[in-house]
Structures are given as C-alpha cells and as structure tokens.
Amino acid sequence: MMEIRRLISEFLSSEKGSAKVREYISTVAHDDKRILIYLKGRKYRAAYAWETLKRYAEVRFDEYPELFPDESQHIGLQIKNCGILNMLKSRDKFGRRIAFLNGGKVGY
C-alpha cells in the first residue's frame, strides 16, 4: 500500500498527465478501498497496479471519454421515475427488501 501511494504522489508532484487524469488519481489516492482493488487485481504488485490505475484513467478521460459517460446518476433517476424498477413497502419473512422490474414499461 505504501509503495503504490509513493508512486501516486510522485505522479501528482510531477506535471504529467491531463487535468482530469490527475484529478481522478488524486481521488483514488485518498480511498483505500479503490487502491486495494487495483492491488488485488495485480496480485499486490504495486508497480503493475499503478500502471493499471494510470492506464485506466488515461483511457477513461483522454482517449475514449465517450465510452465512459458520467450520467450514471441520471440514468438511475430515469429508471426510477419511469417505474421500471420498484420496491415493495413490505419485506419478506427474512427482513429483506423486495425489488422488481416492470418489464412492460421498457420501450424499445
């Protein structure tokens, strides 16, 4: 964990990368859970995890931003407002919430 934090701080102290890439990496630097995701994905090898993180940010924000729209909250609100995804007021016998999809409301 310390090694990848060092690599992140070196990147942020240099003037490499675009502003959006630097902003994303700085938000990841403060989130242990997201750093751990990259470390686990690369079997705790910090250098490889750092390269994966940096490459993901470059692809997402510089190379193909149209493939990563930042409208996930907007889409979720549309699904809820259209009545496609609903939840029952009551719970099941184990206390779990019950969600259901109303496929009849989905129009193609």
Side-chain angles (χ1 to χ4, degrees):
M1 192 71 111
M2 291 171 48
E3 179 67 20
I4 195 166
R5 285 188 189 279
R6 183 187 61 78
L7 292 168
I8 289 172
S9 65
E10 284 178 7
F11 176 78
L12 293 175
S13 64
S14 70
E15 295 299 322
K16 296 179 184 175
S18 67
K20 288 185 178 184
V21 169
R22 296 169 60 76
E23 180 182 341
Y24 176 76
I25 291 176
S26 67
T27 60
V28 171
H30 300 295
D31 190 358
D32 290 341
K33 290 181 182 179
R34 287 204 293 190
I35 290 176
L36 197 57
I37 288 170
Y38 286 100
L39 282 171
K40 283 181 180 179
R42 290 303 184 164
K43 298 183 180 175
Y44 297 97
R45 294 181 296 211
Y48 293 116
W50 161 243
E51 289 299 322
T52 303
L53 169 63
K54 186 172 77 167
R55 184 69 183 134
Y56 171 74
E58 289 170 350
V59 168
R60 180 176 176 185
F61 296 107
D62 292 342
E63 296 177 21
Y64 302 104
E66 67 275 4
L67 296 178
F68 298 93
D70 202 19
E71 301 175 2
S72 59
Q73 295 174 349
H74 179 65
I75 292 169
L77 287 175
Q78 284 181 342
I79 289 173
K80 183 178 180 244
N81 292 339
C82 291
I84 297 171
L85 180 66
N86 292 306
M87 294 185 75
L88 295 179
K89 290 181 183 178
S90 60
R91 296 176 183 246
D92 70 354
K93 66 180 183 178
F94 299 109
R96 298 177 293 199
R97 288 268 184 208
I98 302 170
F100 63 93
L101 293 171
N102 188 352
K105 296 225 177 184
V106 178
Y108 291 102

